[in-house]
Amino acid sequence: MALAGSDAGANPAASTEKWSSRFAFIMAAVGSAVGLGNLWRFPAETGVNGGGAFVIFYIFCVVLIGLPVLLSETLIGRAGQSSAIESMKNVARKSGASPLWSLGAAVGMVGAFLILTFYSVIAGWVIYYAGVFINDVSSSLSSGNISGGAFAGMNADAIQDILPALHKNADMMIAMHALFMAITIFVVARGVHGGIEKVAVWLMPMFFLLFLGVTIYSLSTGDTSRALDFLFSFDAQRLLDPKVQLSALGQALFSLSLGSAMMITYGSYASRDTNLAKTSGMIATADTSVAIIAGLAIFPIVFAAGLSAEGGPTLLFATLPTAFQSMPFGSIIGLLFFVMVFFAALTSSVALLEASVSWAVTRFNANRAMLAVGFGLVAFVIGTWASFSFNSQSKLYLLNFGIFEEQNVFNFLDKLTGSVLLPVSALLVAIFVGWVADKQLVDEENGMSGAPHMIWRFLIAWLCPLVIGVILITGLFPQIVG
Ligand code: PHE
């Protein structure tokens, strides 16, 4: 059933923008999914959570929870034809249910906004590192040694010191964060066609090209077997650890951009002839492959350099420069690497900002550019506050219990979104699509039939709510299980 004419007339929130092609939709959605979540957060979380057990549970969550929820979110968007919250309200109304179900999208929207705050800080580090490598390329060019490694003549300690030095230089860190946020605002202000889609269609293919190059290179030179061992061998005890499970669930949702209102928003721009089930499969496959391959590329370097896998948020930045030092053409490869990470980060940050901007555009009928600037500025300020976590000695703990125990502002925001807001939003979406939304309406949107359809129905109605619910409770209150 399409939106009834009277509905659309009474509802200024009906969305008008559409992707110009299926390719554009796929690139934008894959661009939103593939980002710092794969290249920075996945290796960091894997290291902190002990490797194999985390990775196995993460893959379990991607296939059995992420994929069904991804399809559910895009179909809510396309059936609701508006920003995330309004779309969910529209579907609820058409199903004769309470519009309060849109709380699921609202929680996700707040989550996406809070992710943007710290995401931009890390993306700022990426820009800074690209700058470091540009310098290095130019100095190796002038010394006629471009085929050698990066940072010629620098000792290992000095290289390890690049990141702590940046952390001490608060002005620089904030300037880079500001620059990245400004670029994000600029793209979102230009709209779905003129901004988001253009960036995705150009940058994502370039990203994949660079990613392929860097991966082939690192797999052929690094200690892959040790990395494979770390990523896939696990002890069963850790697999049952509720904190590991909650982190893995959070990482799966974060990486697929789920539980963040965002895939609902992008789904609303999809045309009727796009098969949402197939597209969801492609997005999940691309996203998960990039994460695993990034792990395979990064851990050999970590081990070869004798560094600890538990570096957390700093892992990517502390380890890679060391590796580029011992690679032929290290400065150029290092530069390409950080350019590639920047592309991936930008196509994700515009999605993060778009979730709230599109809501405000439809809700208040207001100017998109002004809203992008407004939301972006607030996110910038909160992000700046979070960035102090890296350069001040005195730690600020916002909530000091459970998973939040002794977490600085930065880690607090990361945990609040990944381990609370995204899972709660995904849980509400699953219950909504599995039980509340009109079956006929849902089935018209999902593009599936036969056995796959039945499996999806079972997963979204039973397995997803149950597993997300249990993991949330046991992960947040581990004392319950023991
Ligand atoms: N999925 C993105 C990444 O992996 C982050 C993101 C989360 C983007 C939620 C949009 C919404 O980097």
Side-chain angles (χ1 to χ4, degrees), residues 29-41 108 111-112 115 119 251-263 287 344-345 347-353 355 422:
V30 169
S32 125
V34 173
L36 295 176
N38 311 58
L39 305 168
W40 159 75
R41 200 175 187 275
I115 291 174
Y119 205 86
Q251 175 59 24
L253 297 175
F254 186 101
S255 193
L256 291 169
S257 307
L258 296 175
S260 59
M262 191 261 117
M263 285 293 175
D287 186 65
T347 51
S348 299
S349 64
V350 298
L352 289 164
L353 182 56
L422 304 194

